[in-house]
Amino acid sequence: MTDCFNQKLAVVLIDLDRFKHVNDTLGHPIGDALLKQIAVRLMSILSDGKAAYRIGGDEFSVIITNVQQQSEVMDFADHIIKLIKEQFIIEGFELNITASIGISQSPEDGSTVESLMKNADAALYFAKSKGRDQSQFYSSSLNVQSFKFFSLSNDLRKALEKDELFLHYMPRVQAQTMEIVGVEALLRWNHPDWGQVSPAEFIPIAEETGLIVPIGEWVLREACMQSRRWHSMGLPPITVSVNFSVQQLLQRNILQTIDRIVGETGLPPERLEIEITESSFISNEKVVTELLLELKKRKIKVSLDDFGTGYSSLYLLKRLALDTIKIDRSFVEEMMTESSNRSIVECIIRLAGELKMQVVAEGVENKEQFDYLREQRCDEIQGYYFSRPVEPESIVQLLSKRPFMEPASLRRSKEPAVNRRQNFRIDLTHCLLAEMTITMFKGRSIRLGSTEVFVRNIGPGGLRFMVGVKLPVNSDILLKFKTRMDNQMYVLYGFIVWYNELDNDIHEYGVQFQWSEQENDELVNALHILDTRQRDGIPPQTQIYVGDPMLRIKELKKIN
Ligand code: C2E
Ligand code: MG
Ligand code: MG
């Protein structure tokens, strides 16, 4: 379809938030009835020039023709959000649901059905990524982060069949003996355009779309098979832990699936541990409790992950058939500097002892933390202090060196030793602020909003910047930077040639310029001026950031 529209038109794409959860917990007939009631509510607010459609599943769309003002569309979207938020009563259940909305408009956001739908969909994903229960317009919405989210959402469906998923394993070390007693399987995605994607970025997408069920099954099978492979190499036996999302736990046939995989792979069940989070119990306490008892009968272990971050009831802890508690990294991270975190950690260790559970501290990065936890008699340690998550071959290396595990000297990110740029460059005392966006993606030009980045050094050949988004080293992705130096705007284009992880989710990149909208001489000149001026203090009429860029990036992440 390539119809052109001559009038101003808006596509309003509506998607219910966590609708799958209703289906999973209350069953499809209730889910169906809910969809019907939503359709009725939608129809009730249609006026002239508006038509509503069900696109499929829990997605609806309203086409508004002859739009006079954008505010009209905005009001309409707000109205829908309010309407859906009003409680539904279905067969005695009181259901509260929210919706996210993406909006595209012609002619600005496209003039064909395909492009308008695609862009409304992108805006919808942006609304979801910003916390759901809201509407977003395409034109104003897409920055680099949301573009990545959108593109990952599109591609995840195919990732399994294209064999792009794989597992890394992170050792768990016995604190007193320093033996490796287990590994945690952690999912990785090798995306053709975005490079290695962290689970923090795509597990939420998998959960939202329900893809977590087949993906989770794949993870379980792969981890069990890997464990068998290690065993058949004559390596000492260890436990393998696998993370489970709540949707997996709520699958009706979850026990059969686990039994089947354990049976097929021949892994002794006591070598398998399933990690669940506290949030799994919210509104599913009964189902999950029963499941845990069944797992216990099979000798499969269960641990409570990220302990301390969710809702916890001590009473629940006692009743559940749990083997292990994993203290969340956030407590360990600030343990040595904040006494309240130290008290929490001590309490958890003591509590686990009383309840006869094992306790694992996650996120241990240095000797000080390790020594302290060992002194407190924490059973096991997991963290970069011993090892990052690694490929299965490295586990072979580590296991064959048993019984002792040596701390991995923490590899602090280093600036690449060689200066890859031939020209001179200026190290900036204070970062230069720039607006960064992607302008070309795999040979196609795209139009996105921009993201704030911090330039640490710059020369005529390239620059080095920091940002909270993980970007790939990929010459198919052309970046555009816009910044102001000495009262003149500079627009520079280039691609990433190297990258470093500076801290959790803060990345640093080296960019090689392809071209700039200014003459090279002009840029060289401006850089010389910048260099001279910064020796005298803060260069005037230049976009300088005087604070700590790391703190600012963390702050920006919280806002978005
Ligand atoms: P998690 O289960 O709490 O896993 C531990 C995470 O903490 C891992 O991040 C690990 O790399 C990180 N970590 C451990 N020690 C340290 C440390 O000392 N320093 C730092 N900076 N990080 C440390 P990763 O691999 O990015 O996984 C993030 C989360 O994604 C996991 O948190 C888990 O909730 C989820 N996830 C990973 N794989 C799967 C999976 O197969 N299924 C499901 N449902 N979720 C998964
Ligand atoms: Mg885990
Ligand atoms: Mg954890």
Side-chain angles (χ1 to χ4, degrees), residues 284-342:
N284 318 302
E285 199 188 313
K286 191 158 167 280
V287 185
V288 177
T289 312
E290 279 166 18
L291 178 67
L292 296 198
L293 285 173
E294 284 300 318
L295 292 173
K296 196 179 190 77
K297 280 189 206 153
R298 290 158 169 78
K299 298 207 176 67
I300 295 173
K301 298 197 185 104
V302 180
S303 65
L304 196 54
D305 205 354
D306 305 343
F307 185 73
T309 56
Y311 117 113
S312 349
S313 123
L314 297 182
Y315 176 65
L316 194 65
L317 259 192
K318 183 168 152 3
R319 276 196 331 175
L320 291 174
L322 288 167
D323 301 273
T324 308
I325 297 180
K326 298 185 82 172
I327 306 176
D328 191 66
R329 177 154 64 91
S330 54
F331 299 113
V332 175
E333 204 177 352
E334 279 164 16
M335 196 174 61
M336 306 319 292
T337 49
E338 262 185 46
S339 66
S340 59
N341 277 344
R342 210 152 47 233

Side-chain angles (χ1 to χ4, degrees), residues 153-424:
S153 309
N154 267 338
D155 299 337
L156 188 58
R157 201 167 295 281
K158 288 264 158 59
L160 249 189
E161 56 193 73
K162 285 168 73 186
D163 228 9
E164 290 168 354
L165 300 179
F166 61 99
L167 297 180
H168 270 171
Y169 297 87
M170 188 169 193
R172 252 163 68 172
V173 178
Q174 229 262 306
Q176 303 302 326
T177 63
M178 309 246 283
E179 267 180 303
I180 300 186
V181 285
V183 289
E184 174 172 7
L186 293 161
L187 189 55
R188 300 288 180 261
W189 180 9
N190 192 8
H191 188 281
D193 305 319
W194 295 102
Q196 195 165 313
V197 185
S198 129
E201 286 183 276
F202 70 87
I203 294 281
I205 301 172
E207 288 176 340
E208 172 90 23
T209 53
L211 283 169
I212 192 67
V213 173
I215 290 177
E217 197 176 321
W218 178 86
V219 171
L220 180 63
R221 174 170 288 110
E222 181 59 29
C224 290
M225 284 191 324
Q226 184 55 58
S227 175
R228 286 297 298 171
R229 270 178 234 137
W230 286 324
H231 188 72
S232 62
M233 292 170 80
L235 294 166
I238 51 169
T239 306
V240 59
S241 312
V242 176
N243 293 286
F244 267 51
S245 290
V246 57
Q247 275 133 316
Q248 291 174 269
L249 298 175
L250 296 179
Q251 289 290 301
R252 254 174 262 277
N253 56 358
I254 182 67
L255 270 174
Q256 285 100 300
T257 306
I258 296 173
D259 286 343
R260 195 179 65 242
I261 292 175
V262 169
E264 280 168 15
T265 56
L267 182 74
E270 63 276 14
R271 296 274 148 70
L272 175 63
E273 182 180 81
I274 287 173
E275 295 196 2
I276 60 177
T277 55
E278 291 165 272
S279 54
S280 311
F281 296 99
I282 300 176
S283 62
N284 318 302
E285 199 188 313
K286 191 158 167 280
V287 185
V288 177
T289 312
E290 279 166 18
L291 178 67
L292 296 198
L293 285 173
E294 284 300 318
L295 292 173
K296 196 179 190 77
K297 280 189 206 153
R298 290 158 169 78
K299 298 207 176 67
I300 295 173
K301 298 197 185 104
V302 180
S303 65
L304 196 54
D305 205 354
D306 305 343
F307 185 73
T309 56
Y311 117 113
S312 349
S313 123
L314 297 182
Y315 176 65
L316 194 65
L317 259 192
K318 183 168 152 3
R319 276 196 331 175
L320 291 174
L322 288 167
D323 301 273
T324 308
I325 297 180
K326 298 185 82 172
I327 306 176
D328 191 66
R329 177 154 64 91
S330 54
F331 299 113
V332 175
E333 204 177 352
E334 279 164 16
M335 196 174 61
M336 306 319 292
T337 49
E338 262 185 46
S339 66
S340 59
N341 277 344
R342 210 152 47 233
S343 313
I344 294 173
V345 170
E346 285 169 23
C347 259
I348 301 176
I349 296 176
R350 215 125 301 143
L351 178 71
E354 292 293 325
L355 297 172
K356 309 266 178 304
M357 290 179 205
Q358 289 285 107
V359 57
V360 182
E362 274 193 295
V364 178
E365 294 193 351
N366 57 47
K367 184 161 179 348
E368 203 189 358
Q369 293 166 340
F370 171 67
D371 286 343
Y372 180 75
L373 289 160
R374 181 147 81 159
E375 202 178 288
Q376 292 299 318
R377 310 208 75 77
C378 178
D379 300 302
E380 290 174 33
I381 304 293
Q382 183 178 340
Y384 290 3
Y385 179 59
F386 284 109
S387 167
R388 287 181 177 244
V390 291
E391 57 275 22
E393 296 71 40
S394 305
I395 296 292
V396 174
Q397 300 286 324
L398 293 173
L399 278 179
S400 48
K401 280 200 218 117
R402 248 188 25 162
F404 298 115
M405 175 90 191
E406 286 163 351
S409 49
L410 233 191
R411 273 178 315 228
R412 273 278 80 193
S413 59
K414 298 184 270 324
E415 185 188 347
V418 279
N419 178 4
R420 295 161 206 235
R421 262 169 265 139
Q422 288 156 0
N423 296 308
F424 77 97

